[in-house]
Amino acid sequence: MTLLVVSAHAGDFVWRAAGAIALATSRGRRAKVLCLSFGERGESAKAWREGKTLDEIKKIRRGEAENAAGVLGAEIEFLDAGDYPLQETPELVDRMVRVYREVNPSVVLTHPLADPYNGDHPAASRMALQARVLAQAIGYDAPGEPLGAPPVFFFEPHQPEQCDFKPNVLLDITEVFDTKRKAMECLPAQQHMWDYYTDLAKRRGVQVKRNAAPNLGLPHHTMGEAYMRLYPQVTGELA
């Protein structure tokens, strides 16, 4: 089992998918984060106000993301494709195809396809989905074997109601939430997000309990992450 997370900016994978990543690595599975940009232009307001240069901000955000990935036990790769805007190009998609072929993921996590507040997020999602399809093509010129059909899950955007996000998968991250919080605290550039995503995990945890069988005996402090599955689930048994 291998998890691939396609993140538009340096912090996205932490706020939205750190629980899933920590669960995977705690169970001995490989997790890789593909970070398309550092969020240097649009998500680093504090550093700009402090008079930092673009190169300095990139270095700061890279260090934060590397530290967070280290806490989560994940690998991380940066494509430095720029943000605000994140431009969709054939060259960038090709680089992503090569990552898919190398990682051969069992599961892919990325942004939803709609976000009226941040065009970089759906751009990252569109490229992640295109690269997944191309990586499946036996005739596509990239190293490695053709990809199978890994399921894709969209992680929760900052304002889900405006992004057509309807969670149909709830992940219990109670056992690794402390790890997620430590990873969030590796991102002081966006410190205002720490408590927001802690509170969100509590709310999603309530839904985890509400939608679980009563005999599971979930604790009062259950913490959760929400996802939306893109492709149908294939199964031999309904459960």
Side-chain angles (χ1 to χ4, degrees):
M1 295 290 292
T2 303
L3 180 66
L4 176 63
V5 184
V6 180
S7 180
H9 309 111
D12 294 331
F13 73 95
V14 182
W15 315 124
R16 298 168 173 91
I21 296 169
L23 279 175
T25 59
S26 70
R27 295 166 182 172
R29 299 169 183 171
R30 182 185 181 191
K32 178 161 183 171
V33 177
L34 184 62
C35 203
L36 304 187
S37 81
F38 301 110
E40 62 270 17
R41 298 183 189 278
E43 300 193 350
S44 303
K46 179 180 177 182
W48 284 109
R49 292 190 181 105
E50 291 172 350
K52 304 292 186 184
T53 66
L54 180 61
D55 287 343
E56 288 174 331
I57 293 170
K58 284 186 176 183
K59 184 177 180 180
I60 291 169
R61 298 311 310 273
R62 180 184 188 120
E64 291 180 354
E66 287 176 338
N67 290 340
V71 167
L72 297 172
E75 305 167 30
I76 189 165
E77 180 178 345
F78 301 93
L79 297 188
D80 193 12
D83 71 323
Y84 279 69
L86 173 62
Q87 300 282 5
E88 299 175 60
T89 67
E91 293 76 17
L92 184 53
V93 171
D94 181 71
R95 292 170 70 186
M96 296 169 70
V97 170
R98 293 166 188 272
V99 172
Y100 272 97
R101 288 275 182 92
E102 184 274 323
V103 174
N104 189 23
S106 308
V107 175
V108 177
L109 306 181
T110 193
H111 301 267
L113 285 165
D115 191 335
Y117 297 97
N118 193 321
D120 291 357
H121 294 162
S125 181
R126 288 190 296 268
M127 288 189 287
L129 296 177
Q130 184 181 6
R132 175 188 176 277
V133 170
L134 294 177
Q136 292 177 295
I138 192 169
Y140 190 88
D141 186 15
E145 294 298 317
L147 203 67
V152 176
F153 296 89
F154 297 142
F155 42 62
E156 184 164 7
H158 194 65
Q159 299 198 49
E161 296 85 356
Q162 304 302 317
C163 300
D164 297 325
F165 181 82
K166 297 180 180 179
N168 52 27
V169 177
L170 296 168
L171 184 66
D172 185 348
I173 63 168
T174 308
E175 66 185 83
V176 296
F177 182 76
D178 288 346
T179 303
K180 176 170 182 170
R181 177 72 192 203
K182 289 175 184 175
M184 290 196 291
E185 291 176 359
C186 290
L187 301 171
Q190 294 177 281
Q191 186 172 347
H192 60 285
M193 305 282 259
W194 297 358
D195 289 342
Y196 178 91
Y197 279 98
T198 297
D199 291 341
L200 179 60
K202 292 177 182 177
R203 294 198 299 274
R204 291 308 187 190
V206 171
Q207 294 177 330
V208 167
K209 289 187 293 183
R210 179 64 181 83
N211 288 277
N215 62 353
L216 290 181
L218 295 176
H220 178 69
H221 63 282
T222 300
M223 306 293 268
E225 283 179 344
Y227 293 87
M228 186 167 72
R229 186 180 181 118
L230 176 60
Y231 298 108
Q233 179 181 0
V234 178
T235 180
E237 181 179 354
L238 294 177

